[in-house]
Amino acid sequence: PVALRICGARLASRDRRSVTWLVDDLADETRRLERISVGPERSIDTVFTDAYDALSPAAAKLYRRLGLHRGPSFNSGVAVAAPGLPLDQVAGLLDELCAAHLIEDAGDRLRFHALLRIHARGVAEQVESAGEQEAAVRRVLDFYVNTAQRMDRAISPDRLRLADPPSDP
């Protein structure tokens, strides 16, 4: 709703601009957050940053690292892998992110609103070192590979394999 109000204010302040102009203006994802604004004090990025700044340090870290995940949604396994924390600790942090409306609970999966994913990735790129970003992405990829290997063993336990899958990450 905040983004819609800001976009509506942008259109209302420019009589000759159309909705098509606004859509074209917002097409570039790398500039989208800065373009959804009516001046620096009324931007969607400011709203998101205020919510992010109110998080505990551990929840802020989880938010940033989940922002590096490129998929449309994720499960608790990805949420555990991204920061490299135990499930019992991550569960409370996910609750904190949901309570702050920074992620949405979609049943058995969680997801970012598209604009929040852009914000989380941007914050991760600013705050996390390249090594930290790479390690978080590697842990998530290892989680997916490990899950696929376990599923393969469950579906075809007698199939010949050249190597055993690595232990759970």
Side-chain angles (χ1 to χ4, degrees):
V2 174
L4 287 174
R5 285 195 304 238
I6 291 172
C7 288
R10 283 189 70 203
L11 282 173
S13 70
R14 294 183 167 100
D15 293 338
R16 298 196 178 274
R17 303 295 176 146
S18 67
V19 172
T20 303
W21 165 81
L22 182 62
V23 169
D24 291 343
D25 190 47
L26 299 175
D28 181 2
E29 184 178 287
T30 61
R31 297 183 55 230
R32 191 171 297 149
L33 287 179
E34 72 184 53
R35 301 303 298 156
I36 300 178
S37 68
V38 184
E41 69 285 346
R42 290 174 50 195
S43 75
I44 195 71
D45 188 56
T46 302
V47 172
F48 293 164
T49 299
D50 287 346
Y52 167 77
D53 288 344
L55 295 172
S56 68
K61 179 180 181 177
L62 177 60
Y63 175 78
R64 292 190 306 267
R65 300 233 173 132
L66 287 173
L68 298 169
H69 181 265
R70 297 291 181 153
S73 64
F74 52 91
N75 64 13
S76 59
V78 170
V80 166
L85 296 171
L87 179 60
D88 60 335
Q89 186 176 354
V90 169
L93 299 176
L94 290 172
D95 289 343
E96 184 177 345
L97 292 176
C98 285
H101 303 288
L102 292 173
I103 61 171
E104 301 171 350
D105 187 340
D108 62 341
R109 300 193 58 83
L110 299 150
R111 66 176 174 230
F112 280 108
H113 181 280
L115 295 174
L116 281 164
R117 182 181 304 112
I118 294 168
H119 181 266
R121 186 178 327 125
V123 173
E125 290 169 353
Q126 291 174 358
V127 174
E128 305 275 340
S129 71
E132 290 169 329
Q133 291 178 55
E134 185 177 325
V137 170
R138 171 58 56 198
R139 284 190 299 271
V140 170
L141 291 175
D142 287 347
F143 166 78
Y144 280 128
V145 168
N146 186 273
T147 300
Q149 289 172 333
R150 286 193 334 246
M151 297 283 243
D152 176 55
R153 286 204 174 279
I155 292 170
S156 302
D158 297 326
R159 187 166 61 84
L160 177 65
R161 291 172 182 81
L162 298 178
D164 286 329
S167 61
D168 284 342

